[in-house]
Amino acid sequence: MRASENLAGGRLTIDRDAIAANWSLLKGLLKPGTTCAATIKADAYGTGATSTAQRLWEAGCTTFFVALPEEGALVRSALPDATVYILGGLFPGTASDLAGANLIPVLNSVAEVREWAGFCKAESRAFPAALQLNTGMNRLGMDPEDFADVMAQKELTGSFDIALLMTHLACGSDPEHPLNRQQLNTFVAATQPFSTLPRSMANSAGVFLGPDYHFDLARPGISLYGGKALDTAPNIMSPVAMVEARVMQIRNVPKGQTIGYGGAETVTRDSKIALVAAGYADGLHRRAGSSDDRPGGFGVIEGHKVPLIGRVSMDMIALDVTDVPVGAVTRGSLVEMLGPNVAASDLAAYAETIDYEYLTGLGRRYHRRYAALPAPQER
């Protein structure tokens, strides 16, 4: 059930136009002739798969990647004419379901290739599929030797339409990592004999690594949603989501007392503390809490950065609003916990995780709305 704005502890604003603008920016970075697809797995990184897919389609995106067949079916229901790839591959016995829903599996093993080929032969129809190579990530995909063996067996590959050859970067967020070039060389060597087939390597980071990595199709994910693709460069993408949580109570805490579970942090001055209705059940990671030993995350209210103090609880956090002008924060005020002034990558750093996890973990208790995000506030 969708949370009502009056009764929810906070609201989640999603800017679909910003997602579309990020896609257009990424498309403009690609070499001429490279198609820019969109990865919208995990409910489009928490932004809503169907609405995000529809907005990207309006912007000109026609090819989408999801992780699971169920996700693909959801996108297909919204966009009957889109090209939809299933990154998780072919689950046993599901070939008929995927073909019936016009979903394209990314075949990641010899067993999957054989099953898809057998299904196509039985149906006397060459349904499309992608083939993925493992070039060094050692996750999904066929090793180059298996790939070469599969491509040599025309009774297998001749029974279906090879729509794409692809691989996935393991260390693309670090442009200087030697594995990037090693993977590129492996991919080129394995696929060069079949260079008339479309190829894909670039995720978000791969877009920024340059034209050598672009090939025929790029499939950005995190950058569409305002996330930081490269560890070593400024983030040029626009934020697309804002979380605002409601202040439940303001209390005065004398110097020397502790706040929250475990007495993790002792206040070093007489402090004014705002208790806010958001916690780890809403996607604010417990590790981002503050203690006497380390600082934690922060929020922004009326242009003022307010540090988190004490542990993150399931349903609430405490923020130190001592330095916020009188009257700027009251019971019922909304505090920005993610958005134009609070980057997901900043929060992730405090929680020792990545912005992907913050975005995909946005809780369902917020009131969700679709609107333009405000400009960053001056501080």
Side-chain angles (χ1 to χ4, degrees):
M1 184 177 71
R2 183 176 178 180
S4 73
E5 186 165 9
N6 288 337
L7 300 181
R11 66 187 180 195
L12 168 60
T13 304
I14 297 167
D15 190 338
R16 290 178 288 196
D17 288 342
I19 298 174
N22 284 340
W23 178 82
S24 296
L25 190 158
L26 292 164
K27 182 175 181 290
L29 295 176
L30 295 171
K31 70 180 183 181
T34 298
T35 297
C36 191
T39 299
I40 56 172
K41 60 184 180 177
D43 199 29
Y45 290 55
T47 65
T50 54
S51 61
T52 293
Q54 287 169 335
R55 183 62 187 89
L56 287 169
W57 177 270
E58 293 169 2
C61 182
T62 60
T63 301
F64 300 89
F65 287 79
V66 298
L68 301 170
E70 184 178 26
E71 296 176 323
L74 191 65
V75 175
R76 171 61 65 232
S77 67
L79 297 176
D81 297 322
T83 299
V84 182
Y85 287 92
I86 310 299
L87 292 165
L90 180 66
F91 294 163
T94 63
S96 177
D97 298 300
L98 266 63
N102 191 21
L103 301 174
I104 305 175
V106 176
L107 304 178
N108 295 304
S109 67
V110 176
E112 290 183 4
V113 172
R114 288 175 175 162
E115 182 170 347
W116 190 251
F119 168 74
C120 290
K121 288 178 181 177
E123 295 293 316
S124 299
R125 183 174 171 185
F127 291 99
L131 299 181
Q132 179 157 214
L133 284 81
N134 167 41
T135 57
M137 190 169 193
N138 287 307
R139 211 169 57 169
L140 294 177
M142 291 175 279
D143 292 338
E145 297 79 10
D146 288 335
F147 171 75
D149 184 57
V150 162
M151 295 301 286
Q153 299 182 51
K154 297 305 180 185
E155 70 276 11
L156 284 179
T157 58
S159 61
F160 62 90
D161 174 25
I162 301 176
L164 191 66
L165 303 177
M166 59 181 285
T167 192
H168 194 62
L169 287 161
C171 303
S173 61
D174 179 1
E176 302 303 320
H177 201 290
L179 189 54
N180 294 328
R181 182 59 59 172
Q182 292 173 25
Q183 285 191 265
L184 177 63
N185 292 340
T186 299
F187 186 60
V188 169
T191 61
Q192 192 60 44
F194 317 103
S195 59
T196 57
L197 295 173
R199 292 181 288 179
S200 176
M201 187 177 200
N203 54 5
S204 291
V207 172
F208 292 98
L209 290 181
D212 286 352
Y213 294 84
H214 293 169
F215 292 96
D216 301 290
L217 180 145
R219 46 184 206 279
I222 189 65
S223 289
L224 293 174
Y225 311 102
K228 188 175 182 180
L230 298 182
D231 298 334
T232 57
N235 186 8
I236 64 172
M237 312 311 296
S238 298
V240 306
M242 180 169 68
V243 169
E244 298 166 286
R246 197 179 303 277
V247 173
M248 299 182 291
Q249 181 182 351
I250 299 173
R251 66 181 313 118
N252 296 314
V253 178
K255 176 182 177 180
Q257 292 196 7
T258 61
I259 295 174
Y261 282 119
E265 184 163 8
T266 307
V267 297
T268 59
R269 60 177 178 171
D270 293 341
S271 301
K272 184 167 64 173
I273 304 300
L275 286 306
V276 177
Y280 57 74
D282 305 292
L284 302 179
H285 290 221
R286 189 172 184 270
R287 182 60 179 161
S290 181
S291 71
D292 290 338
D293 299 323
R294 63 186 292 271
F298 63 93
V300 169
I301 184 164
E302 298 296 330
H304 298 275
K305 184 176 179 179
V306 288
L308 195 155
I309 186 164
R311 288 184 180 172
V312 175
S313 301
M314 181 183 291
D315 310 303
M316 71 182 77
I317 57 173
L319 296 172
D320 187 344
V321 296
T322 308
D323 297 325
V324 177
V326 174
V329 54
T330 61
R331 185 169 65 92
S333 293
L334 289 170
V335 181
E336 181 183 336
M337 300 304 304
L338 172 74
N341 305 286
V342 188
S345 56
D346 290 339
L347 294 179
Y350 286 106
E352 299 179 348
T353 184
I354 54 177
D355 45 8
Y356 297 70
E357 192 170 5
Y358 258 101
L359 291 169
T360 59
L362 293 175
R364 298 184 179 182
R365 299 194 293 187
Y366 300 120
H367 170 73
R368 180 175 291 222
R369 65 175 189 167
Y370 294 92
L373 296 190
Q377 296 173 320
E378 295 292 334
R379 295 203 296 272

